């Protein structure tokens, strides 16, 4: 009977250790998305942007910030392509000038966003935050340039709202990262 009780004891200990295991920590993605509200980004918006990159499911907070900035750079590239199409589609020189402003502000922000991702990699979070603050102003500059042309403004709004959303999420995640590591 001795070996049987010893085996029963080992099996019982094994099951107790499984049930007493600490709960699994929530993924950094959920943590980040649930804590960026101070930047007026809802968890749903955060997830809708970051969930587009499958790597975000396993990334740490720094990785999420890099992913968010890269998503913003990618989105800015898509918006830039749309702006160039809008520009080619109009023959009105005044409207062309307005759209050239849009093309220019998106052209200018894309390399800065790529630098921001590198800044995060090098733990220069405030530098990345500064770039993202500038990125948040890009759609407004485009809107100001096209404001007198309702047809163009409507086309521009359809594409630069998406950039505004992803830039907001990127800024919020980088802000959370900055606070997380400085606090």
């Amino acid at each position: 009977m001795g070996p049987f009780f010893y085996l029963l004891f080992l099996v019982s200990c094994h099951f107790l250790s499984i049930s007493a295991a600490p709960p699994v920590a929530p993924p950094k993605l959920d943590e980040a998305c649930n804590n960026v509200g101070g930047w007026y980004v809802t968890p749903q918006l955060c997830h809708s942007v970051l969930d587009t990159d499958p790597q975000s499911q396993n990334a740490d907070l720094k990785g999420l910030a890099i992913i968010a900035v890269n998503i913003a750079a990618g989105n800015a590239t898509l918006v830039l392509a749309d702006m160039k199409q809008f520009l080619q589609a109009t023959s009105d020189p005044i409207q062309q000038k307005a759209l050239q402003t849009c093309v220019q502000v998106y052209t200018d922000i894309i390399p800065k966003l790529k630098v921001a991702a590198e800044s995060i990699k090098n733990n220069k979070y405030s530098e990345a935050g500064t770039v993202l603050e500038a990125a948040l102003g890009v759609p407004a500059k485009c809107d100001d340039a096209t404001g007198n042309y309702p047809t163009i403004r409507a086309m521009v709004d359809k594409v630069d709202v998406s950039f505004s959303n992803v830039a907001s999420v990127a800024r919020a995640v980088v802000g959370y990262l900055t606070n997380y590591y400085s606090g």
Side-chain angles (χ1 to χ4, degrees), residues 58 83 92 124 158 167:
N58 299 314
M83 295 297 176
D92 181 334
K124 297 178 180 176
K158 285 181 183 177

Side-chain angles (χ1 to χ4, degrees), residues 154-178:
M155 292 185 317
V156 165
D157 282 349
K158 285 181 183 177
V159 295
D160 73 357
V161 165
S162 67
F163 177 74
S164 186
N165 286 338
V166 296
S168 293
V169 169
R171 177 62 187 110
V173 174
V174 170
Y176 180 63
L177 173 71
T178 303

